Amino acid sequence: MSNSRRNFIKGATAVGAATAFGFGYSHTVNKMLKSVLVDEHPRDAISGNALAVEYSVNVNTGKLELNPEQTVAYTMCMGCTTVCGVRVRIDNKSQKVLRVTGNPYHVLSSDPFLPYETSVADSFQSLSRFQEKGLEARSTACGRGNAVLDKLTSPGRVKVPLKRVGPRGSGRWAPISFEQLVEEVVEGGDLFSEGHVDGLRVIRDLKTPIDSEHPEFGPKANQLAVMAPFKDGRLRFAARFAKLSFGTVNFTGHRSYCGLSMRSGYAALLGNWKKQPHLKPDFANSEFLLFIGTSPGNAGNPFKRQGKLIAQGRSDGNLKYVVVDPVLTNSDNLAAEDRSSWIPIKPNTDGALVMGMIRWILEHHRYDEKFLRQPSPAAAKAAGEASYSNASHLVIVEPNHPRNGKFLRASDLDPSVVNTKSKLASIMVIDEASGNIMAANQAGPSALYYQGRLQTISGESIDVKTSFSLLQEESNKYSLAEYAGICGIDAKTIENLAHEFTSHGKRAAVDTHGGTMGSNGFYNAFAIVMLNALVGNLNWKGGTSIGGGRFKEIAPGPRYNLKKFPGKVKPRGLGLGRNHLPYEKSSEYKRKVAQGENPYPSQSPWYPLSPAMSSEYLTSALNGYPYRLKALILWSSNPLYGMAGLSNQVREKLADPKELPLIISVDPFINESNVYADYIVPDSVLYESWGWASAWGGNLTKVSTARWPVVAPDIAKTADDIPIEMETFFIAVAKRMALPGFGEGAIQDKQGNKYPIHRAEDFYIRAAANVAYFGDAVPDVSDEELSLSGVDIILERIKKVLKPQEWRKVAYVYARGGRFENADQAYDGERLKYRYKKPMQIYDEHLASARNSMTGKRYSGTPIWISPRLADGSSLEDAFPQKQWPFKVISTKSNLQSSHTIGLASLQQVHPKNGISIHTNDAAALGVSTGDQIRITTPGGSVVGAALVRNGIQPGVLGIEHGFGHRQLGARPHQIGDHLTKANPIAGYGVNINDLGFSDPVKKGLSVLTDWVVGNVVRQGIPAKVERA
Amino acid sequence: MESTGSDGWGGRVMSENIVDLINVSREVSWLTWGVQYFFLIGISYGAFFLTLPAFVFARKEMRQMGRIALVVAITCGIAAPIALVSDLHQPGRFYQFYLHFTATSWMSWGSFFLPAYIVFLLLYAWFIYRPDLQQQADNSRGVFASVSRLLAFGGGSAPGAIKALGYLTLLSAVLVATYTGAEMAVVRARPLWNSPVMPLMFFLTGICGAAGLALLLNKIIGNASRTVAEQLNYILMFILGLIISTLLLWLLLGLVAQSSSGEVLVGLATEYNAFLFSLLFLLGCTLFPFLMVTKTILRIDWLTGLLTLSGAWLFRWSMFIDGQRIPKNSGGFNEYSIPLGSDGLLGIAGTVGLWILLVLAVTSFIPWQGSKKNSSK
């Protein structure tokens, strides 16, 4: 090689190497120079540019030092239905909420929570390092609770009243004044140049029946339906308008498409179908918890509390628990070893598992016999029990007896006996000691297994069986091996579960929720909750609790009567969901019978057991069965997104104003439902609103959580300078229509003095007075606490609304974010302080008396195992066979997303989309791996999404996390006036299981698949097939 | 957790379907720069050891090899700390090491060992090159001559100084080798690293890589001396033998569950990153060159050099980056893809570029092969 050539190669190599070196190290050099040249110093050497703290506590002296630029306030979160008490930090200058954490006084955010009498200053100190107090008193908000803050400042918020200017659903809106809004919706007219529309004034006719041939439908006022969200603290204000003032029966929340199956199961167990109370385990003291179709700590209500308590229990306490669910969630924890475990199950087969357990428990006498044998409260008390059951109550099982299926009353044996009002004085049992048949309230421990013929006084004989015998009969219908085959859990595991569950006395409990939302959901749920009765855990420490309740706010309270008012309407008539009235009492039934026709089936099923059926509102109204709607108000609810199958069914008709002439929405955002509205009224969100909520369950002491506007709502105001929110709208409509219960003289105090409702706070602050004065009144607030707690912000309003002696007590309540009973009030020895008084029902007479309106067949009064059904009780499998639909789709709850949170920027960052969970073996058979696109097709629709291949799911099941696959909430643009909003495609990521729901082939017209007994919408176990997309 | 399942005969099977239901994804915090530093410093001290017979123990027949090894030692030795500084996420603050000495930290000790080693090494090299620089000054003209003269600084030969500095450098090299291995071996949270094998393997692979690089340079910048190649092959035979035995012992202890570090190593070789570790490193970079140097199969020197050099790098990559990918508290194997920018490929290219520049500088300006007169000595 020549020298020059060598030098050329050397030179070229040098240039190349130098370039690589230069580029490679440029970043390093930059970083080094930056620290020297750029005068950029973080605010703090350790905390960097993090927000300044709201206050600091001297670690040695405990002295509190406030940050004058911020305010701390205790109020309420609304990220999910748990509605925790939280602590928010407000920047005084910008009036923005900076951060959210837990309220240390609040049971849902802290364990242990602070005694209520703790001063606000001490509550701040309790969270600090002073004496390491903050470790114990730590109070938290969850990830969603922090992210949901974005709602306040979301660019997608509706801030002024909107009126559609294009066809429904076109996304073209005109901002209008509040005054125009109220005038148009009340008076009606040719509002959209599409012809005349009746206004609310015309619709509110409390006299003329909707249909003179069907007087049971009630008056025309029922042709307004109001769909509300859940008990978010403002529900009872909306109810006051809709039911008590306007007078429609059609007002309800979201239960029928949320958790109706579980609530109905408990309604049957606890004998209260109207209110549907439910039990929650005493998480802190249970030794064994069985969760079926619910995931504590992953989601569910109370989200944080149950998560924290089971985590504590499995690590420091004596808790062992099992989660039975088709999908593995965060509820199971490997580190807890055998303290926690997950058992996968086939969807919709929980009932088979539990009936198998019940069979084994009965066969092996593992039930709490002492508890079950007590037929009355008196007997229970004598036996040292905390509740009683109807296990020993005798049921008539004589097919031709007029009272077949009902409890045997004294009058059935001797017609001359007049049954007293007290049920227990007339229901008969076999007293064990004497062997005599006697009234339940007279008897001591009674026979559990009696079955036989009894002689009436006239010498006739009646076949009777005890409730418990009937349960045994049902549980014996299948062998353990058969139950095992149905649910996919082997018989040995079922036995072990039953053995473990019955090995902890009353310190074992079962809990269930949305996993039971299948077409056989009611009986599955009833079977599950029956396990609690078999161990007699109700009202016991470590057992189950009805909850501690609340300080009655919206009530005939100690200061103001917020329930009754002059002119209050008692709404009457048949609910649009054909609920709460037996079909047999309808004009349709009577007419058919009169004409000699078979009255069955009805056109669509009736739900005599269920108290409210918002899930049927839209399909009923559009089918005109039982009747049509003239106006619909959607307040913060989004049924088209949240209800399986509904959107595909009703979208087209809902877009046609002739089908439903007036749709008004009150909502801070445009969602999949109110995109079809004619008007959208803005609403306050989160920390801008007033309200009074409580814990939904899991609280053993009284809780009343205050929601109050710690920041001014970022929405337009009325001419009177009142922010335009739900309350403002209803007040204005009511006042314009001169409805009772709003405006002047709407509220009375004990002395009969009258007070007005012109603004939201006129109602909620008086509710606060009821809270403050409930039982022993709370102390007066000190001046120091007023400023420490941020109550200063609303002090003028409190003083204006209340009497001079009341405001300091009310401010004391607001300063703590509500009123909370101290934790030491939870127990009374080994029992709970707040106890459920009625019996645990092994057999529900009300249920057994109800008939399916499609077949006329009576329902079973005890739990049964029944596979998924259509509305007429026929098998879902027969209509949609496994061969054709080999998969089952289920909905799983998200630990971060709610149905309304997809638009939040910070959640989009951490969790922008969901996948379709599929078992490894199923994925292998399909030849897909994680991330591949797959298409799910069901009888109702199809979706394409990314496969999420897991071992943690039952084979044959496709799991879809709820909260994704939106079409609105920012996913598409809207033309508002001359402004076109910017679409955010992330809001539309993922898939929504509810696009896969389908109509029930045995129902006429538009419908969705529901449970065949109580009508809960089916989102679990939707038959499906899957392929590569 | 659903990350591992049983394959039915008692072994562990990695599931490819790991779903972290909720977790914080831990980023790799010791970056590719760290791999480069450990690689370069390992090669440097390894090469330095190869110079000892020639310059400290006066083994003349080893002198030619020693001179190649010395180029390797000083070029890699200079490039190494520059890579290290880049691995600091705030490189401008490296001086903090010297303001806050921490006796319980190997890294803190290392901040003194490393500069000591570099300084001794350069002095050692300088004393070796000094007579040759003087010669170069005398034999050339112009700026080149004056610079050479300046560098020669008198130009006398000082065997005593070389010997003394050789021992000092040896001491500091051993300390550097110890601290680099130990600062990983003390990390209890990472079972793979938490083993005395770690410093030993760094030491052995350092020498192995150095010999490999010397084998390559012998071809590229040297005169492809057969003697040198034979000597290096001979050394490699021993070192590779030691490396293979150490690895086998390590794996064996893991297989019989006597070493948790070994257990993770078995995992690395069979499930976590089996391709990189077992296929490329174990088979490609230790076993295959061993077969070549022992003449079991056809010997190809440049391939031996390339493979053993790659082996030194791959071992560090596997321990460093893959080691950090083994999750501490969740299932599976954390995702890591090498970034294109200066935290990744560009950084690696940068260190390679720097090293090439240094080699060019040394070979252009310094009579590294010795002057005729001196080499004939």
Side-chain angles (χ1 to χ4, degrees):
Chain A
M1 204 186 286
S2 74
N3 242 7
S4 65
R5 191 158 166 210
R6 177 181 284 260
N7 282 340
F8 175 75
I9 291 176
K10 265 192 174 179
T13 314
V15 170
T19 311
F21 174 55
F23 276 112
Y25 280 80
S26 60
H27 190 62
T28 310
V29 173
N30 253 340
K31 279 205 229 167
M32 290 185 84
L33 290 181
K34 201 176 165 192
S35 65
V36 182
L37 300 179
V38 183
D39 188 24
E40 197 179 70
H41 293 287
R43 235 181 15 78
D44 186 279
I46 292 169
S47 58
N49 288 330
L51 283 180
V53 293
E54 60 271 50
Y55 62 80
S56 56
V57 173
N58 185 298
V59 71
N60 300 313
T61 63
K63 194 174 172 294
L64 179 69
E65 207 170 307
L66 297 175
N67 177 350
E69 285 167 8
Q70 292 181 23
T71 302
V72 180
Y74 293 131
T75 178
M76 188 188 103
C77 177
M78 269 206 59
C80 73
T81 55
T82 306
V83 293
C84 297
V86 290
R87 161 171 111 250
V88 298
R89 290 162 61 181
I90 306 148
D91 182 61
N92 293 341
K93 205 149 89 217
S94 64
Q95 276 297 296
K96 294 267 182 296
V97 178
L98 301 170
R99 288 279 192 281
V100 185
T101 44
N103 174 353
Y105 291 103
H106 204 280
V107 62
L108 297 179
S109 293
S110 346
D111 184 76
F113 51 97
L114 293 178
Y116 193 61
E117 57 277 10
T118 311
S119 74
V120 174
D122 284 352
S123 78
F124 291 174
Q125 195 196 58
S126 77
L127 298 161
S128 74
R129 259 199 71 200
F130 176 62
Q131 296 171 351
E132 299 293 358
K133 283 182 177 188
L135 294 176
E136 168 112 325
R138 196 154 72 117
S139 185
T140 54
C142 70
R144 173 165 28 199
N146 273 290
V148 79
L149 195 56
D150 294 351
K151 274 197 176 187
L152 292 166
T153 50
S154 167
R157 252 187 103 169
V158 174
K159 295 188 179 178
V160 294
L162 300 178
K163 177 184 179 179
R164 74 175 163 93
V165 289
R168 277 193 186 158
S170 63
R172 299 209 301 275
W173 309 91
I176 56 170
S177 73
F178 182 70
E179 291 67 27
Q180 183 191 344
L181 164 81
V182 173
E183 184 187 334
E184 291 190 7
V185 303
V186 171
E187 312 301 346
D190 185 8
L191 302 173
F192 306 97
S193 311
E194 295 165 352
H196 177 81
V197 178
D198 276 353
L200 295 178
R201 190 187 295 282
V202 175
I203 297 168
R204 188 190 188 251
D205 178 343
L206 294 172
K207 293 204 180 70
T208 320
I210 296 172
D211 184 340
S212 52
E213 300 213 341
H214 298 90
E216 76 274 16
F217 292 174
K220 287 190 159 176
N222 288 347
Q223 287 184 294
L224 165 71
V226 180
M227 296 178 78
F230 62 100
K231 291 180 178 166
D232 70 334
R234 303 163 75 197
L235 190 75
R236 282 170 295 173
F237 189 97
R240 181 184 176 103
F241 169 80
K243 289 162 90 168
L244 312 182
S245 179
F246 191 93
T248 175
V249 290
N250 292 315
F251 173 87
T252 181
H254 73 160
R255 182 179 301 167
S256 56
Y257 55 101
C258 175
L260 180 66
S261 50
M262 177 278 282
R263 297 293 288 250
S264 303
Y266 268 121
L269 181 77
L270 300 174
N272 186 347
W273 281 93
K274 205 168 171 190
K275 292 209 164 137
Q276 302 194 318
H278 66 113
L279 303 178
K280 277 276 168 194
D282 173 13
F283 294 96
N285 291 289
S286 282
E287 290 175 5
F288 182 72
L289 290 175
L290 180 56
F291 298 98
I292 302 180
T294 184
S295 310
N298 188 73
N301 190 347
F303 176 38
K304 283 184 302 183
R305 179 165 176 79
Q306 60 184 0
K308 181 163 188 172
L309 292 182
I310 64 158
Q312 276 172 4
R314 73 185 174 212
S315 43
D316 303 329
N318 289 319
L319 178 66
K320 206 169 159 178
Y321 65 88
V322 174
V323 181
V324 179
D325 197 276
V327 178
L328 171 65
T329 64
N330 286 335
S331 303
D332 188 19
N333 187 307
L334 209 60
E337 297 197 317
D338 66 340
R339 291 294 194 89
S340 89
S341 51
W342 169 62
I343 299 177
I345 188 170
K346 292 182 188 167
N348 306 136
T349 65
D350 310 320
L353 163 72
V354 174
M355 291 307 281
M357 288 174 68
I358 291 175
R359 182 186 169 121
W360 189 90
I361 290 169
L362 265 51
E363 273 173 4
H364 294 79
H365 298 278
R366 298 278 300 179
Y367 48 86
D368 186 340
E369 189 168 1
K370 183 159 142 275
F371 160 76
L372 289 166
R373 284 173 55 196
Q374 311 308 326
S376 69
K381 196 177 174 196
E385 291 292 339
S387 64
Y388 72 106
S389 82
N390 67 12
S392 59
H393 295 190
L394 294 170
V395 180
I396 301 173
V397 289
E398 185 78 48
N400 295 322
H401 194 282
R403 296 193 65 255
N404 181 31
K406 305 220 178 217
F407 283 121
L408 180 76
R409 301 310 208 264
S411 57
D412 294 315
L413 298 172
D414 179 358
S416 67
V417 177
V418 179
N419 292 332
T420 58
K421 249 201 157 173
S422 154
K423 260 174 126 184
L424 290 176
S426 56
I427 290 175
M428 309 306 284
V429 299
I430 308 285
D431 179 66
E432 195 93 297
S434 63
N436 289 338
I437 179 160
M438 57 172 80
N441 68 348
Q442 304 290 318
S446 301
L448 280 183
Y449 285 107
Y450 182 83
Q451 31 186 303
R453 291 177 88 77
L454 297 178
Q455 296 291 316
T456 66
I457 202 156
S458 52
E460 290 161 36
S461 57
I462 312 179
D463 266 343
V464 296
K465 286 177 183 172
T466 60
S467 299
F468 207 61
S469 292
L470 289 169
L471 178 66
Q472 187 189 36
E473 262 180 34
E474 281 303 334
S475 71
N476 282 346
K477 280 207 171 140
Y478 298 90
S479 70
L480 205 53
E482 284 171 317
Y483 284 129
I486 293 165
C487 67
I489 298 172
D490 63 86
K492 190 74 209 152
T493 307
I494 299 178
E495 279 179 26
N496 289 345
L497 269 181
H499 183 268
E500 183 79 47
F501 188 76
T502 52
S503 295
H504 300 272
K506 294 174 189 299
R507 296 208 174 203
V510 69
D511 191 26
T512 183
H513 203 191
T516 56
M517 290 292 279
S519 60
N520 57 345
F522 163 68
Y523 273 114
N524 280 344
F526 189 21
I528 292 169
V529 301
M530 182 57 65
L531 289 172
N532 285 323
L534 296 187
V535 294
N537 61 17
L538 178 60
N539 301 332
W540 287 96
K541 193 177 197 171
T544 52
S545 158
I546 193 68
R550 61 204 296 164
F551 299 90
K552 304 268 185 281
E553 319 96 5
I554 319 294
R559 303 301 293 181
Y560 300 96
N561 192 335
L562 297 178
K563 213 56 185 277
K564 292 210 172 92
F565 51 85
K568 184 182 136 184
V569 183
K570 192 174 189 311
R572 59 192 172 84
L574 173 70
L576 198 50
R578 300 173 304 279
N579 49 289
H580 215 51
L581 184 81
Y583 170 60
E584 292 72 22
K585 288 190 177 165
S586 70
S587 305
E588 178 187 349
Y589 176 90
K590 286 174 192 158
R591 195 190 61 242
K592 281 181 180 167
V593 171
Q595 291 171 351
E597 292 173 28
N598 181 355
Y600 301 104
S602 57
Q603 186 179 326
S604 265
W606 289 51
Y607 300 107
L609 297 160
S610 299
M613 293 296 296
S614 59
S615 51
E616 297 285 323
Y617 279 12
L618 294 180
T619 47
S620 294
L622 297 172
N623 289 333
Y625 180 79
Y627 49 85
R628 300 189 84 85
L629 280 183
K630 287 193 163 171
L632 169 72
I633 298 179
L634 291 163
W635 166 51
S636 274
S637 67
N638 187 4
L640 265 66
Y641 175 78
M643 209 188 294
L646 185 69
S647 183
N648 289 342
Q649 288 285 303
V650 303
R651 246 181 355 230
E652 238 168 73
K653 282 198 170 182
L654 213 54
D656 180 1
K658 287 189 197 73
E659 298 280 344
L660 207 172
L662 182 61
I663 304 178
I664 305 158
S665 164
V666 185
D667 207 298
F669 297 96
I670 301 178
N671 61 37
E672 285 77 5
S673 304
N674 68 6
V675 68
Y676 296 105
D678 300 312
Y679 297 92
I680 300 182
V681 186
D683 200 3
S684 52
V685 293
L686 289 161
Y687 313 118
E688 299 171 342
S689 308
W690 296 93
W692 278 102
S694 182
W696 187 73
N699 58 313
L700 303 176
T701 47
K702 286 195 189 305
V703 176
S704 283
T705 314
R707 184 167 163 198
W708 51 285
V710 300
V711 289
D714 186 14
I715 36 183
K717 291 179 176 175
T718 68
D720 301 333
D721 207 31
I722 304 171
I724 304 168
E725 54 187 333
M726 178 270 284
E727 290 86 353
T728 313
F729 175 65
F730 285 152
I731 292 168
V733 167
K735 279 161 77 171
R736 189 177 176 107
M737 291 172 67
L739 297 181
F742 294 93
E744 290 301 329
I747 297 174
Q748 278 185 311
D749 67 9
K750 281 236 155 144
Q751 292 71 41
N753 302 314
K754 288 186 176 172
Y755 305 91
I757 299 181
H758 293 305
R759 294 162 166 261
E761 62 250 41
D762 291 336
F763 183 76
Y764 294 108
I765 293 177
R766 289 192 175 89
N770 283 343
V771 172
Y773 282 86
F774 188 97
D776 292 333
V778 302
D780 285 347
V781 77
S782 68
D783 287 342
E784 188 206 9
E785 286 200 344
L786 280 178
S787 62
L788 274 183
S789 63
V791 173
D792 270 348
I793 300 166
I794 53 165
L795 192 60
E796 283 317 304
R797 284 177 269 180
I798 293 177
K799 284 183 176 170
K800 207 172 147 199
V801 169
L802 296 179
K803 297 168 194 168
Q805 71 270 28
E806 289 170 343
W807 74 263
R808 273 193 184 269
K809 295 198 187 304
V810 164
Y812 187 91
V813 170
Y814 276 116
R816 283 155 181 76
R819 188 171 175 190
F820 318 109
E821 194 176 18
N822 285 351
D824 58 14
Q825 298 297 303
Y827 303 102
D828 176 3
E830 280 303 296
R831 294 151 194 241
L832 304 178
K833 180 177 167 192
Y834 295 102
R835 298 177 210 152
Y836 189 70
K837 298 286 189 298
K838 292 170 87 178
M840 288 183 116
Q841 302 201 106
I842 308 299
Y843 182 88
D844 181 22
E845 191 180 42
H846 186 57
L847 168 64
S849 312
R851 287 173 192 275
N852 182 299
S853 73
M854 306 296 280
T855 60
K857 285 190 190 142
R858 272 181 35 220
Y859 296 117
S860 162
T862 66
I864 56 173
W865 159 245
I866 187 163
S867 63
R869 302 281 110 181
L870 296 177
D872 62 357
S874 62
S875 161
L876 181 73
E877 163 70 26
D878 290 349
F880 303 99
Q882 175 96 18
K883 268 210 166 133
Q884 199 183 344
W885 309 97
F887 283 85
K888 296 272 184 289
V889 194
I890 62 162
S891 167
T892 70
K893 249 188 176 179
S894 176
N895 52 8
L896 283 170
Q897 290 286 4
S898 293
S899 60
H900 51 86
T901 52
I902 194 68
L904 306 181
S906 39
L907 282 187
Q908 287 175 354
Q909 283 167 25
V910 291
H911 195 27
K913 57 184 161 190
N914 61 355
I916 298 168
S917 294
I918 180 170
H919 190 269
T920 316
N921 298 350
D922 294 332
L926 270 179
V928 295
S929 47
T930 293
D932 293 350
Q933 295 288 301
I934 54 177
R935 175 181 292 107
I936 305 180
T937 307
T938 69
S942 88
V943 298
V944 174
L948 182 59
V949 181
R950 303 183 53 180
N951 292 336
I953 187 167
Q954 171 80 20
V957 175
L958 304 168
I960 298 181
E961 178 184 353
H962 190 52
F964 299 87
H966 278 276
R967 296 187 172 91
Q968 298 291 336
L969 290 178
R972 65 163 262 199
H974 284 259
Q975 179 77 42
I976 295 175
D978 46 18
H979 170 66
L980 184 70
T981 63
K982 205 170 161 235
N984 175 3
I986 301 176
Y989 281 4
V991 290
N992 177 13
I993 188 175
N994 294 336
D995 289 337
L996 294 171
F998 57 95
S999 67
D1000 186 330
V1002 305
K1003 295 180 188 171
K1004 288 203 181 98
L1006 307 174
S1007 74
V1008 295
L1009 184 67
T1010 56
D1011 174 79
W1012 69 297
V1013 182
V1014 299
N1016 60 260
V1017 178
V1018 173
R1019 67 167 183 267
Q1020 310 293 14
I1022 299 172
K1025 48 192 170 193
V1026 63
E1027 62 197 335
R1028 292 183 70 110
Chain B
M1 194 174 83
E2 49 189 298
S3 58
T4 51
S6 169
D7 57 2
W9 42 273
R12 287 193 305 163
V13 181
M14 248 303 254
S15 167
E16 286 172 14
N17 303 301
I18 292 132
V19 181
D20 268 341
L21 295 171
I22 192 163
N23 204 354
V24 179
S25 66
R26 309 268 170 207
E27 281 183 28
V28 163
S29 55
W30 286 9
L31 308 174
T32 45
W33 293 112
V35 178
Q36 295 305 101
Y37 164 66
F38 271 57
F39 173 65
L40 290 168
I41 201 68
I43 302 293
S44 173
Y45 66 65
F48 165 75
F49 294 135
L50 299 182
T51 69
L52 289 174
F55 302 113
V56 177
F57 307 126
R59 296 280 295 270
K60 276 190 191 151
E61 73 280 13
M62 304 284 267
R63 187 151 284 212
Q64 206 181 347
M65 183 202 83
R67 283 189 173 275
I68 292 176
L70 191 59
V71 172
V72 174
I74 56 176
T75 49
C76 292
I78 295 169
I82 296 174
L84 178 63
V85 167
S86 288
D87 197 47
L88 297 176
H89 292 231
Q90 295 192 37
R93 281 167 46 175
F94 75 93
Y95 62 88
Q96 298 276 344
F97 274 114
Y98 302 100
L99 297 181
H100 306 282
F101 173 71
T102 311
T104 49
S105 157
W106 279 107
M107 206 180 268
S108 192
W109 281 106
S111 67
F112 293 91
F113 297 160
L114 178 63
Y117 165 70
I118 308 276
V119 168
F120 290 140
L121 174 69
L122 290 179
L123 280 173
Y124 168 72
W126 181 67
F127 273 104
I128 291 168
Y129 291 143
R130 202 160 70 136
D132 306 320
L133 280 165
Q134 186 61 46
Q135 186 96 9
Q136 180 170 279
D138 296 346
N139 293 348
S140 50
R141 280 174 304 186
V143 185
F144 192 68
S146 3
V147 172
S148 299
R149 188 159 296 118
L150 199 67
L151 283 174
F153 201 70
S157 156
I162 290 175
K163 208 162 193 173
L165 278 164
Y167 284 122
L168 279 173
T169 314
L170 176 62
L171 175 69
S172 53
V174 168
L175 287 174
V176 166
T178 310
Y179 110 83
T180 45
E183 70 182 355
M184 290 180 77
V186 293
V187 181
R188 269 184 282 181
R190 297 219 171 271
L192 176 67
W193 300 352
N194 192 218
S195 161
V197 183
M198 196 55 56
L200 179 63
M201 276 298 291
F202 276 131
F203 182 77
L204 292 174
T205 53
I207 300 175
C208 184
L213 186 52
L215 208 50
L216 282 176
L217 286 188
N218 182 40
K219 286 243 171 199
I220 299 168
I221 59 168
N223 49 13
S225 149
R226 222 32 254 163
T227 324
V228 171
E230 286 299 329
Q231 288 167 345
L232 287 169
N233 270 308
Y234 190 72
I235 292 169
L236 276 173
M237 186 171 75
F238 275 99
I239 295 291
L240 281 168
L242 281 172
I243 287 175
I244 290 167
S245 330
T246 312
L247 277 169
L248 286 178
L249 185 72
W250 195 6
L251 286 167
L252 194 70
L253 286 175
L255 278 173
V256 298
Q258 289 305 309
S259 149
S260 46
S261 170
E263 281 180 55
V264 184
L265 190 77
V266 173
L268 207 54
T270 55
E271 47 186 67
Y272 288 130
N273 206 354
F275 173 72
L276 202 63
F277 189 77
S278 68
L279 216 66
L280 286 185
F281 178 71
L282 286 181
L283 297 178
C285 299
T286 60
L287 198 62
F288 190 59
F290 184 71
L291 294 177
M292 286 199 289
V293 297
T294 52
K295 287 190 180 163
T296 314
I297 54 175
L298 183 67
R299 208 187 241 182
I300 307 167
D301 285 344
W302 66 266
L303 188 58
T304 308
L306 205 60
L307 287 176
T308 46
L309 183 66
S310 307
W313 188 84
L314 265 179
F315 179 75
R316 283 156 180 78
W317 181 271
S318 286
M319 292 302 118
F320 243 75
I321 303 295
D322 288 349
Q324 291 179 88
R325 291 172 67 190
I326 299 166
K328 289 181 187 169
N329 51 13
S330 60
F333 194 49
N334 289 343
E335 206 50 54
Y336 175 81
S337 55
I338 179 164
L340 293 176
S342 69
D343 282 349
L345 277 180
L346 196 55
I348 295 174
T351 43
V352 173
L354 172 63
W355 177 76
I356 292 173
L357 278 180
L358 289 166
V359 173
L360 286 174
V362 169
T363 53
S364 305
F365 301 112
I366 290 168
W368 66 277
Q369 285 174 302
S371 56
K372 288 262 156 38
K373 185 183 136 203
N374 286 318
S375 60
S376 64
K377 249 196 217 169

